[in-house]
Amino acid sequence: MSEHGSTLPRRQLGRYLREGRMQCNMTIAEAAALMEWSESKLQRLETGNAEKIRVLDIRELCRIYDFDDEFGSALTGLAQQASVKSWWHEYDDLIPEGFNVYVGLEASARTLISYQPEIIPGLLQTAEYARVLIDDYWPDAASDQLDRRVQLKTRRQSLLTRKRSPAFFDVVVHEAALHRVVGGRRVMAAQLRRLADMSTLPTIAVRVLPFSAGVPIGHTVGPFVILDFGRDAGNRPVEPTVVYLENFLGDLYLEKQAAVDRYREAYQAIRCAALDETTSRDLVRRAAKEYAT
């Protein structure tokens, strides 16, 4: 992996272009011919290995694949991202705020490891719980826009429940998230019941970090997700591991090995201090019953 390559923006750009080509039922040969390129050049672009990426070329591919203006703008924004290992995606910068880069990354992950200190993680949220959060974050959005955002969030959950190659989700939720009321008691009761039920699936491991555990790593840490993308036949990572940090003004994606290792160590410490899966599930179900009474 080149120290100068912009790994994540390039990979995501290539992934979206590949999906667009396939949705148009085009082969690499057909699309490359329209661009007057060799097949290998388009293949390098789709796999995130292109040496140089020209915005004009990306715009032309967006036209060929009939992407709408917002999606096209997002892809040209990805093409313009700086070649750095730790990528800061600032909302309303080059990429529109409504374009969720993380969702495309998440969909390709084989394993997700997460710590959520304040709210129930999105992959385990009910539609009602998600709607309250989305409505509060987008107070001026029209009802149909809110509906689409809720549907997007709930559709993402099929990543864990699909029959073919579901991803594995290992998450620690702080006990505070069980007591932070989102949408009222009825919404919380349903949400916690769902959290407990989902935790019984073989692809999902949920642990609760109790208040009594204190601060396991000696420092507060915000929510994070570590995304792994599996290994090839030679036991090499298909793509570099990414640490995703969600922020109010934008998202940070870390790929440097030292940063990834630090977050893995932090997660192990938090996980070791958390309750085991069965005790965690019992605690969640008790909390759900309290909300229901």
Side-chain angles (χ1 to χ4, degrees), residues 1 4 14 51 64 72 90 94 124 130 146-147 186 209 216 229 244-245 256 265 267 274 288:
M1 183 171 61
H4 303 288
E51 289 289 329
I64 290 172
E90 184 176 359
L94 289 173
L124 302 177
L146 292 175
D147 289 342
R186 182 188 61 81
L209 181 67
F229 302 92
Y244 168 69
L245 306 175
K256 290 182 179 179
E265 290 167 5
Y267 185 74

Side-chain angles (χ1 to χ4, degrees), residues 161-173:
T161 58
R162 63 194 179 198
K163 292 183 178 179
R164 183 179 178 184
S165 301
F168 182 73
F169 190 34
D170 189 344
V171 61
V172 174
V173 178

Side-chain angles (χ1 to χ4, degrees), residues 129 176-185 188 291:
Y129 185 97
L178 310 184
H179 300 287
R180 189 182 297 276
V181 179
V182 173
R185 299 180 68 84
M188 287 300 298
Y291 281 117

Side-chain angles (χ1 to χ4, degrees), residues 117-161:
E118 297 188 23
I119 61 175
I120 306 303
L123 286 175
L124 302 177
Q125 290 175 8
T126 64
E128 293 78 10
Y129 185 97
R131 175 176 284 278
V132 173
L133 295 174
I134 292 170
D135 192 18
D136 287 343
Y137 188 76
W138 304 87
D140 299 323
S143 179
D144 61 332
Q145 292 177 319
L146 292 175
D147 289 342
R148 284 197 298 271
R149 293 184 186 280
V150 172
Q151 289 168 6
L152 172 61
K153 179 166 278 192
T154 54
R155 280 202 305 269
R156 286 165 49 196
Q157 298 174 0
S158 64
L159 176 73
L160 307 177
T161 58

Side-chain angles (χ1 to χ4, degrees), residues 16-218:
Y16 289 126
L17 290 173
R18 182 172 65 251
E19 291 173 355
R21 174 178 59 77
M22 294 176 69
Q23 287 172 1
C24 291
N25 294 315
M26 282 188 191
T27 65
I28 282 187
E30 290 168 339
L34 291 174
M35 291 294 294
E36 298 184 354
W37 287 355
S38 66
E39 292 180 40
S40 61
K41 181 174 180 177
L42 180 55
Q43 191 168 41
R44 287 195 301 273
L45 180 60
E46 289 188 355
T47 56
N49 293 310
E51 289 289 329
K52 295 180 180 178
I53 299 176
R54 298 198 320 160
V55 171
L56 285 175
D57 292 336
I58 301 306
R59 287 177 179 156
E60 181 61 16
L61 282 169
C62 290
R63 185 192 66 78
I64 290 172
Y65 300 153
D66 198 27
F67 291 152
D68 61 37
D69 290 342
E70 182 179 5
F71 196 80
S73 295
L75 295 199
T76 55
L78 281 172
Q80 296 175 68
Q81 295 299 296
S83 296
V84 294
K85 282 298 182 62
S86 296
W87 177 45
W88 169 251
H89 166 209
E90 184 176 359
Y91 298 153
D92 288 335
D93 187 6
L94 289 173
I95 300 175
E97 184 175 4
F99 183 80
N100 197 322
V101 176
Y102 173 75
V103 169
L105 186 69
E106 179 187 73
S108 302
R110 300 297 305 121
T111 301
L112 301 101
I113 296 170
S114 180
Y115 172 56
Q116 291 294 331
E118 297 188 23
I119 61 175
I120 306 303
L123 286 175
L124 302 177
Q125 290 175 8
T126 64
E128 293 78 10
Y129 185 97
R131 175 176 284 278
V132 173
L133 295 174
I134 292 170
D135 192 18
D136 287 343
Y137 188 76
W138 304 87
D140 299 323
S143 179
D144 61 332
Q145 292 177 319
L146 292 175
D147 289 342
R148 284 197 298 271
R149 293 184 186 280
V150 172
Q151 289 168 6
L152 172 61
K153 179 166 278 192
T154 54
R155 280 202 305 269
R156 286 165 49 196
Q157 298 174 0
S158 64
L159 176 73
L160 307 177
T161 58
R162 63 194 179 198
K163 292 183 178 179
R164 183 179 178 184
S165 301
F168 182 73
F169 190 34
D170 189 344
V171 61
V172 174
V173 178
H174 198 285
E175 188 177 356
L178 310 184
H179 300 287
R180 189 182 297 276
V181 179
V182 173
R185 299 180 68 84
R186 182 188 61 81
V187 172
M188 287 300 298
Q191 174 59 77
L192 296 187
R193 284 196 298 270
R194 177 174 176 76
L195 178 64
D197 291 346
M198 293 288 282
S199 73
T200 65
L201 296 178
T203 55
I204 300 173
V206 176
R207 292 174 177 81
V208 174
L209 181 67
F211 288 116
S212 60
V215 184
I217 60 173

